Amino acid sequence: MAPEKFIHVNHPVNRSIYITVFLFLLTWTAAPVNLYAQMQRPNIIFILSDDIGYEIPTCNGGLSYSTPRLDSMAQHGMRFTQFHAPLCSPSRFMILTGKYNFRNYTKWGEMDHSQKTLGNLFKDAGYKTAYYGKWQLAGGDPSIHIFGFDQYSIWNPLDPSTKELRYKNPHIYENGKFVSDKLTKNKYGDDIFTDSLMNFIDSNKANPFFIYYSMCIGHAPFCPTPDDSVFGIWNTGRPSDTAFFPSMVKYMDKKVGMIIDKVNSLGLANNTVIIFASDNGTGGGVYSEYGDTTLSGGKNTTTELGTHVPLLISWAGKITGGTVNNDLIDCPDILPTFADIAGITVSSDYGILDGVDFAPRLTGDAGTPRDWIFCHFDPQSGNHDTLKRWVQNKTYKLYDTTFSHEFTFYNMVADLGEEHPIPDAALTPEELIIKQQFLDILANIEKGLPAVSSGSVSNTAFSSADIYATIAADGGHSVTERGIVWDTVSNPSLVNNYITKDTGTGSFTVSLKKLKINTTYYVKPFAVNIAGTAYGKEISFTTLSLPVPVATNATGVTDTGFTANWNASAGAKKYGLDVSLYASFSVLSPVQLLQGFDNGTSTQDGWTLSNGISIYTNAGNFGNASPSLQLKATGQQIVSPVLDGNPANELSFWIKGVGTNAVSSLLVEGYDGSNWVTIENIFNLPATGTVKTYNGSSVPVLANNFTRFRFTYTKAGGNLAFDDVTIKYHANTPSFVPGYNNLTVGSASKPVTGLTAATAYYYRIRALDKTGNLSGNSNVITATTTGTGKYIAERPGADSSKNNSQRPAKESGLHASIFPNPGKKDFTLVCKSNNKEPVNIKVWDMFGKMVYQTKYDAGGHCKFGENFAAGIYIAEVMQGENIITLRLVKGSAE
């Protein structure tokens, strides 16, 4: 680090600058915010509502409540569709510490003072910190300061079981003592908290600040707010009445709006992140309309209605407004994400963190989205005396020891109430893999070991095989080594042979090489972190029995043929010979993957459809597009198969919204081999059938690295018709010289005849035993026929409908020749033309990849190709509208 530089005020120049800046700062004090506030790290205001389920905000699809300010947050920020929080204190402990509850939980509402929290994180980094609202962490004033908060105004500071008033006539605790009941009489708890919060912002607008506002609103008792006419006469001893829940939601929304307005009025919007979330689902007895369904509050249950909660984040100038994020978000993710936003490094004093930082996702970066979330809590009081543990993704959930059932597995999309566990015998192959991954996570997560899913074997050959595996979790520690351990005896370990792939989590593939033929190998994936080594289940495979032959140089090369040669292989009775114009023995051909869903919704041709998707059959509404898929529930997905060639270059599909509204959307994503990347989130779904197309010139542009596509319906109202998917890409098509495709040969050589002069050919060989078993392919040999000639060809992938064919030299006035052709070193292009317009040359290899491009004056010479590999190339020589296409052959330098 370079030495710090100081301003010397007594230097004449610096003194002038110093005075100018000082006068400027004096004048700035009349502005809404101090200059330093625009230069500091971002402020963070975290608003945690109490007992507000995902179905409550209108922006999430709720129809029973008024939430215009939350809707505005979604419109101007990012709305998350997959945030989960299990229940009150367990959720709050995870949010504050970034840890699962088996690391931080002591008893209900009392967090151990040895824990480090969000408050400590920001305070130690120089932030001003404050806490307002529901505390429920016990310990009073000492615990508040121990956990890193400078200022506070809270409810329920000491004994979490105390039944103190929180709404009208609240019991408020500030500066180590309760506020006099005379001062809070006829006041409303959340009014007092927000007033204190705004005073704190006023006092600290010139400093970075962190505010944790834990609202009381949402929790029972349900009672009137100050905006209700009966508030003044309401007796706080009256029982809870769910009739007041809608007005409480409306008042909660109002409080959020007041905080946003305060930030905006001080000019802090671009430097302040505001987060709204909830600690668990809506309270029991509350019924809400959501789409075409009436939902009952699910608090205290572990179903989606008990854990699926809203999450909204706004950050002016940083987050693109109206963005919908479908990543799984878990409570421990909050701490590392906030740390990243603020640029704070979490020290080792915080111990193991289980959260995943999703801050990169706020600004559109790939990040590392979760594939699963985990929950473990034992509240140890009241009716919450059963340990609850589970792993889930967006569709499936596996319980460990909940409700006296072990390892029950549910499809939450098809079975929202989790009433029908799926037995192993009824699981699809994909579901069996998911369940095993969840079992691996449950087995290792509390130990701090990585979770390693079972591997699989592919491309088994005579001396090689590919092994695929997944590190599903890091166990809370960085994975320092992962890979495959293998041996010829069962139960291999790291003391045997092994291959280290890399570090980190996720899927990976290792290629085993130089294996013995006709031998059984035993393989286990492994991962290592500070807690130890974890292994996946053992798998085995047997290599094939024939060695791979070795091809040798061709002999007897003429204008029309050559003799292919190879070394004899032990055990081989015959050989299979391939000859091609391409070193890959294949060409890239355009392919269209077409999928209409007219025959039903069962999975076909590798397509994956969420449960509950049905078929529109009303031809009166959809005409020739009927029948089409009908998506009618939030989160329903359609996933394409993996392309069997290069990534897609065009995607199109047909959609029609049926009764959808402005916040209904279809999220279109592409898979790049490691992550699902958003292509577009389509709002304002068309009421008439529309074909949506993405390619290299569309807006947005289709990236050129997607090998699979996913379509997710975000439902706010109505249904979506979806059909007629077309995916264009290039796939490898086998290409052989006629008669030389696995040609059976009984000796170690074979004359190849009927070829074209001055052309590069490629050959390879395989061995066959007496039972017909094949070895792997040999090395590839290049043989270039002799002779000379001029060749005219169309470059790979050229569109014949465009004006790119050769024009005769006399007609165009452009003459071009390339020599030597074939050539072994480089080529020289000579052009003659009737005009002085520059000449462009572009060269492609036979796979359609441009390998050379330049521009020069007609009449000159252009040399190129010295670094070209042996093979065939297509050169286009262009002058204005005149184009000459020439075929080149680059021979081997040997």
Side-chain angles (χ1 to χ4, degrees):
M1 180 179 294
E4 184 175 358
K5 296 180 180 180
F6 295 90
I7 295 177
H8 297 281
V9 177
N10 289 329
H11 188 283
V13 175
N14 287 339
R15 182 167 61 244
S16 175
I17 296 172
Y18 183 86
I19 294 171
T20 301
V21 172
F22 178 75
L23 293 174
F24 174 74
L25 292 177
L26 286 177
T27 61
W28 190 265
T29 56
V33 63
N34 190 286
L35 173 64
Y36 295 119
Q38 303 296 335
M39 301 167 61
Q40 68 192 24
R41 290 173 289 181
N43 310 307
I44 297 181
I45 303 175
F46 180 53
I47 305 171
L48 185 69
S49 60
D50 202 343
D51 296 1
I52 298 295
Y54 182 83
E55 75 279 6
I56 300 302
T58 307
C59 56
N60 283 347
L63 301 176
S64 296
Y65 310 100
S66 174
T67 58
R69 300 312 299 267
L70 294 182
D71 300 344
S72 179
M73 278 190 71
Q75 182 181 358
H76 294 94
M78 182 173 288
R79 179 172 66 87
F80 292 79
T81 65
Q82 290 290 337
F83 179 45
H84 293 261
L87 185 65
C88 202
S89 283
S91 298
R92 295 163 189 272
F93 283 24
M94 287 190 282
I95 287 170
L96 278 166
T97 65
K99 302 176 182 180
Y100 293 130
N101 286 136
F102 65 78
R103 303 190 202 279
N104 65 18
Y105 202 82
T106 50
K107 59 187 297 186
W108 185 268
E110 295 185 27
M111 192 161 72
D112 189 279
H113 286 182
S114 66
Q115 295 293 327
K116 295 281 191 177
T117 75
L118 281 167
N120 302 121
L121 180 79
F122 284 99
K123 182 177 176 62
D124 292 346
Y127 273 66
K128 299 296 183 181
T129 60
Y131 193 106
Y132 300 105
K134 178 179 178 178
W135 179 246
Q136 201 181 50
L137 295 173
D141 187 79
S143 69
I144 297 170
H145 293 302
I146 286 172
F147 292 141
F149 295 99
D150 298 321
Q151 298 184 31
Y152 63 90
S153 177
I154 61 175
W155 172 83
N156 201 1
L158 301 171
D159 182 352
S161 64
T162 301
K163 303 299 181 183
E164 299 169 336
L165 297 176
R166 70 185 82 185
Y167 296 122
K168 186 178 180 181
N169 305 329
H171 293 147
I172 304 296
Y173 188 76
E174 292 179 356
N175 300 319
K177 62 182 179 181
F178 284 98
V179 177
S180 169
D181 289 345
K182 293 181 180 179
L183 298 177
T184 61
K185 185 176 181 180
N186 293 324
K187 299 289 181 64
Y188 193 72
D190 279 285
D191 285 343
I192 295 173
F193 302 143
T194 53
D195 286 347
S196 297
L197 184 155
M198 292 185 200
N199 288 336
F200 178 83
I201 295 175
D202 278 330
S203 300
N204 294 280
K205 59 181 178 288
N207 306 292
F209 59 78
F210 170 64
I211 298 173
Y212 192 136
Y213 175 25
S214 177
M215 306 183 90
C216 288
I217 291 182
H219 198 288
F222 305 125
C223 53
T225 73
D227 285 350
D228 291 302
S229 59
V230 296
F231 179 77
I233 61 173
W234 180 259
N235 184 337
T236 56
R238 291 183 60 177
S240 175
D241 186 347
T242 56
F244 289 107
F245 184 72
S247 65
M248 293 177 73
V249 171
K250 185 176 182 180
Y251 205 72
M252 172 193 74
D253 185 80
K254 177 181 178 179
K255 295 281 102 177
V256 173
M258 291 172 64
I259 295 170
I260 294 172
D261 291 343
K262 182 67 174 180
V263 169
N264 291 342
S265 70
L266 293 175
L268 298 175
N270 287 341
N271 202 45
T272 303
V273 188
I274 302 177
I275 302 95
F276 175 86
S278 181
D279 63 345
N280 52 246
T282 309
V286 175
Y287 292 87
S288 307
E289 297 300 318
Y290 183 77
D292 53 5
T293 306
T294 299
L295 299 178
S296 173
K299 178 183 177 178
N300 291 328
T301 73
T302 57
T303 67
E304 285 285 276
L305 291 175
T307 68
H308 191 191
V309 295
L311 175 62
L312 305 170
I313 303 181
S314 66
W315 189 2
K318 298 290 186 180
I319 297 177
T320 301
T323 305
V324 177
N325 184 298
N326 296 306
D327 296 344
L328 283 164
I329 307 294
D330 208 350
C331 288
D333 300 344
I334 298 296
L335 186 144
T337 300
F338 284 9
D340 190 353
I341 290 172
I344 301 172
T345 299
V346 183
S347 75
S348 59
D349 294 343
Y350 285 71
I352 296 172
L353 296 183
D354 298 298
V356 173
D357 173 18
F358 61 88
R361 305 290 283 158
L362 300 178
T363 53
D365 292 336
T368 54
R370 283 180 171 272
D371 294 322
W372 52 271
I373 59 175
F374 167 76
C375 187
H376 166 121
F377 72 90
D378 184 1
Q380 300 179 354
S381 67
N383 295 324
H384 308 292
D385 56 359
T386 302
L387 175 66
K388 304 177 192 296
R389 287 170 57 92
W390 71 84
V391 180
Q392 71 172 83
N393 58 22
K394 298 174 186 178
T395 303
Y396 296 100
K397 179 184 288 186
L398 177 71
Y399 286 100
D400 188 346
T401 54
T402 303
F403 309 129
S404 301
H405 298 291
E406 293 194 358
F407 305 123
T408 49
F409 189 69
Y410 295 91
N411 183 322
M412 299 176 295
V413 175
D415 182 14
L416 184 64
E418 298 175 15
E419 299 173 350
H420 307 289
I422 311 173
D424 284 354
L427 296 177
T428 66
E430 183 180 18
E431 289 171 336
L432 284 170
I433 293 172
I434 293 171
K435 182 176 181 180
Q436 185 58 55
Q437 290 175 341
F438 287 0
L439 286 168
D440 293 338
I441 293 167
L442 287 171
N444 284 332
I445 194 166
E446 194 166 353
K447 301 175 185 177
L449 291 172
V452 185
S453 296
S454 299
S456 61
V457 182
S458 62
N459 300 324
T460 304
F462 299 85
S463 61
S464 64
D466 292 337
I467 314 297
Y468 170 88
T470 299
I471 310 303
D474 63 8
H477 306 279
S478 296
V479 172
T480 57
E481 189 175 43
R482 71 174 183 180
I484 301 297
V485 59
W486 53 279
D487 205 342
T488 54
V489 295
S490 184
N491 197 31
S493 66
L494 286 179
V495 299
N496 307 108
N497 295 328
Y498 72 93
I499 293 179
T500 299
K501 173 64 179 176
D502 52 23
T503 60
T505 57
S507 301
F508 66 98
T509 301
V510 170
S511 294
L512 303 183
K513 303 291 186 182
K514 298 183 179 180
L515 305 176
K516 297 178 181 179
I517 63 172
N518 195 26
T519 302
T520 299
Y521 287 90
Y522 299 88
V523 174
K524 289 192 294 187
F526 73 89
V528 180
N529 67 11
I530 194 173
T533 302
Y535 295 95
K537 288 187 176 180
E538 179 180 275
I539 54 178
S540 63
F541 65 94
T542 301
T543 55
L544 302 183
S545 59
L546 276 175
V548 175
V550 177
T552 58
N553 289 333
T555 56
V557 180
T558 68
D559 286 4
T560 59
F562 56 83
T563 297
N565 302 295
W566 56 92
N567 294 331
S569 297
K573 300 301 180 182
K574 295 182 179 180
Y575 300 91
L577 172 66
D578 296 333
V579 181
S580 177
L581 283 166
Y582 308 100
S584 63
F585 294 84
S586 64
V587 294
L588 288 176
S589 301
V591 176
Q592 290 191 109
L593 177 63
L594 306 176
Q595 179 63 75
F597 298 93
D598 300 346
N599 296 322
T601 58
S602 59
T603 302
Q604 53 184 319
D605 300 327
W607 291 80
T608 302
L609 309 179
S610 295
N611 288 335
I613 292 179
S614 60
I615 282 282
Y616 274 119
T617 57
N618 187 335
N621 286 341
F622 301 105
N624 293 333
S626 176
S628 305
L629 290 189
Q630 177 180 218
L631 289 80
K632 53 187 178 180
T634 300
Q636 285 185 333
Q637 289 183 339
I638 301 162
V639 185
S640 78
V642 178
L643 304 181
D644 59 356
N646 284 339
N649 52 57
E650 184 170 289
L651 166 70
S652 67
F653 50 87
W654 179 94
I655 53 174
K656 177 177 179 178
V658 185
T660 53
N661 58 32
V663 292
S664 299
S665 69
L666 178 68
L667 177 65
V668 184
E669 298 170 288
Y671 188 68
D672 64 6
S674 58
N675 296 298
W676 286 102
V677 180
T678 296
I679 299 171
E680 185 178 15
N681 199 17
I682 306 171
F683 288 91
N684 299 315
L685 298 171
T688 57
T690 300
V691 175
K692 186 71 176 176
T693 300
Y694 304 95
N695 52 36
S697 58
S698 64
V699 179
V701 170
L702 181 69
N704 62 0
N705 59 345
F706 295 141
T707 58
R708 199 177 191 187
F709 295 97
R710 182 168 67 183
F711 311 89
T712 306
Y713 183 39
T714 302
K715 180 180 181 293
N719 302 329
L720 177 66
F722 182 92
D723 206 355
D724 299 335
V725 184
T726 301
I727 302 172
K728 296 181 180 181
Y729 60 101
H730 283 82
N732 287 314
T733 302
S735 181
F736 301 94
V737 172
Y740 297 96
N741 176 11
N742 199 28
L743 175 66
T744 302
V745 181
S747 62
S749 65
K750 175 65 178 177
V752 180
T753 60
L755 305 182
T756 303
T759 301
Y761 291 90
Y762 304 88
Y763 67 86
R764 66 188 182 189
I765 197 75
R766 289 179 299 283
L768 295 84
D769 66 14
K770 62 183 179 180
T771 61
N773 292 324
L774 283 170
S775 74
N777 290 315
S778 72
N779 54 310
V780 177
I781 295 294
T782 306
T784 303
T785 53
T786 58
T788 59
K790 295 182 179 178
Y791 298 93
I792 298 173
E794 188 177 76
R795 67 176 173 83
D799 185 350
S800 60
S801 66
K802 297 180 180 178
N803 185 24
N804 63 358
S805 59
Q806 181 199 15
R807 292 176 178 269
K810 291 182 179 179
E811 176 185 332
S812 66
L814 175 66
H815 299 262
S817 61
I818 295 178
F819 63 90
N821 188 14
K824 292 185 176 181
K825 184 178 181 182
D826 55 18
F827 302 97
T828 299
L829 169 66
V830 178
C831 287
K832 295 181 180 180
S833 177
N834 296 332
N835 64 55
K836 297 181 180 180
E837 191 174 350
V839 175
N840 290 279
I841 178 173
K842 297 180 180 179
V843 183
W844 288 266
D845 65 18
M846 289 308 295
F847 306 103
K849 179 182 179 182
M850 185 182 293
V851 294
Y852 181 75
Q853 179 180 8
T854 192
K855 178 187 291 187
Y856 75 105
D857 295 332
H861 291 188
C862 174
K863 287 194 173 186
F864 64 93
E866 183 175 2
N867 297 322
F868 288 7
I872 297 174
Y873 297 86
I874 302 300
E876 282 187 350
V877 182
M878 295 159 282
Q879 187 183 51
E881 295 184 354
N882 299 318
I883 300 177
I884 295 178
T885 307
L886 301 171
R887 183 184 186 197
L888 310 178
V889 178
K890 177 69 180 288
S892 174
E894 286 87 15

